[in-house]
């Protein structure tokens, strides 16, 4: 069965600082991977998805970027964080029966 | 663009009772999939139930069942014999058949279960 690791679990960063959130998966190969953000009191918004190494699709214009350096690694980055980047970030992978399996998430607070 | 609407920001139910959460969606596609996810206080997203649009039969998973009305673009979740552990945020989600598995989520319904 698949496992998703997200690191770190919690992060507090000042405005203007860089960001790197990591997602690694186990138990599958060549997965479709996704980054979602959940702002307070709102649903999940798809930020990026990747169908393979080096392949990134952006869903919304924003202050963030994503990379997929390895088959089972998906990284979310920013050069300069904004207050509006605060939220709960979830990594997910596509599994059988068309649904997505989610990782435990990273809570990001930008001060 | 596809949209998913959950019109009930909050719902409450007595333990052992039944509750129905509403979801409507907007799409021009005929091949799609619908899901209900549960997010407990731990914030881990857990799949509750799925429905393929081409199936007329409503999906059922133990105490959870859906009422899928394709023409009305409605996809409600019924929780029977509610338990304290059912308390969570519930999200309805839509996936277009040819969309690289991308999901569009509603804003969620917070379910409280009263003992």
């Amino acid at each position: 069965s698949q496992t998703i690791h997200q690191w770190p679990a919690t992060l507090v960063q000042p405005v203007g600082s860089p960001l790197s959130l990591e997602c690694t998966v186990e138990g599958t190969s060549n997965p479709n991977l996704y980054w979602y953000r959940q702002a307070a009191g709102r649903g999940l918004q798809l930020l990026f998805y990747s169908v393979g190494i080096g392949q990134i699709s952006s869903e919304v214009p924003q202050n963030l970027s994503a990379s997929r350096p390895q088959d089972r690694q998906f990284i979310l980055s920013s050069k300069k964080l904004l207050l509006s980047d605060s939220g709960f970030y979830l990594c997910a992978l596509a599994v059988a029966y068309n649904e997505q399996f989610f990782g435990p998430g990273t809570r990001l607070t930008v001060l | 663009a596809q949209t998913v609407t959950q019109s009930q920001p909050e719902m409450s139910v007595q333990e052992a009772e039944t509750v129905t959460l509403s979801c409507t969606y907007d799409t021009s596609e005929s091949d799609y999939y619908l899901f209900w996810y549960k997010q407990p206080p731990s914030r881990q997203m857990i799949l509750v139930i799925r429905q393929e649009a081409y199936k007329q039969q409503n999906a059922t998973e133990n105490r959870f069942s859906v009422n899928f009305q394709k023409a009305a673009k409605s996809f409600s979740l019924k929780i029977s014999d509610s338990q304290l552990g059912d308390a969570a945020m519930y999200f309805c989600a839509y996936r277009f058949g040819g969309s690289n598995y991308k999901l569009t989520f509603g804003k969620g319904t917070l379910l409280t279960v009263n003992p």
Side-chain angles (χ1 to χ4, degrees):
Chain A
S1 62
Q2 300 93 349
T3 304
I4 299 178
H5 302 281
Q6 288 191 243
W7 185 89
T10 304
L11 189 61
V12 179
Q13 292 284 92
V15 169
S17 63
L19 173 74
S20 181
L21 302 182
E22 185 169 338
C23 169
T24 57
V25 304
E26 297 176 357
T28 185
S29 59
N30 196 29
N32 282 14
L33 296 175
Y34 308 82
W35 277 113
Y36 290 89
R37 177 168 60 200
Q38 184 178 21
R42 306 185 70 174
L44 277 71
Q45 180 186 37
L46 179 63
L47 302 176
F48 301 94
Y49 73 95
S50 171
V51 299
I53 296 174
Q55 301 180 64
I56 306 295
S57 295
S58 175
E59 288 295 297
V60 293
Q62 61 211 317
N63 186 44
L64 303 168
S65 62
S67 62
R68 188 164 174 182
Q70 301 180 42
D71 182 48
R72 300 171 193 173
Q73 185 183 34
F74 201 22
I75 296 173
L76 185 68
S77 304
S78 174
K79 293 182 179 179
K80 290 185 178 182
L81 283 169
L82 305 173
L83 287 174
S84 58
D85 292 325
S86 292
F88 190 63
Y89 289 82
L90 286 156
C91 179
L93 65 88
V95 298
Y97 301 107
N98 299 295
E99 74 255 26
Q100 291 185 10
F101 176 74
F102 287 82
T106 294
R107 185 186 304 273
L108 172 65
T109 302
V110 182
L111 301 176
Chain B
Q2 295 84 9
T3 58
V4 178
T5 302
Q6 294 180 249
S7 59
Q8 306 154 315
E10 297 184 23
M11 292 281 286
S12 64
V13 62
Q14 291 295 125
E15 196 175 3
E17 297 295 310
T18 295
V19 64
T20 298
L21 309 184
S22 300
C23 173
T24 58
Y25 57 95
D26 183 27
T27 184
S28 59
E29 305 296 335
S30 59
D31 175 25
Y32 56 87
Y33 306 83
L34 297 164
F35 309 90
W36 278 98
Y37 279 88
K38 169 185 177 181
Q39 188 180 42
S42 67
R43 305 199 75 171
Q44 174 74 53
M45 292 287 285
I46 303 166
L47 178 68
V48 175
I49 200 165
R50 75 176 71 81
Q51 175 79 45
E52 293 87 343
Y54 64 85
K55 290 186 176 180
Q56 294 185 344
Q57 186 174 6
N58 289 324
T60 299
E61 289 287 342
N62 300 313
R63 299 182 293 107
F64 298 87
S65 61
V66 300
N67 183 6
F68 174 46
Q69 301 291 328
K70 190 171 184 178
K73 298 180 182 177
S74 171
F75 182 60
S76 60
L77 175 70
K78 185 172 80 171
I79 306 175
S80 303
D81 185 25
S82 296
Q83 301 176 0
L84 295 177
D86 294 333
M89 183 72 84
Y90 286 81
F91 293 97
C92 178
Y94 163 99
R95 178 177 97 74
F96 164 47
S99 63
N100 282 321
Y101 292 81
K102 295 186 292 181
L103 295 178
T104 300
F105 285 86
K107 292 187 176 181
T109 296
L110 180 62
L111 178 66
T112 302
V113 180
N114 301 310

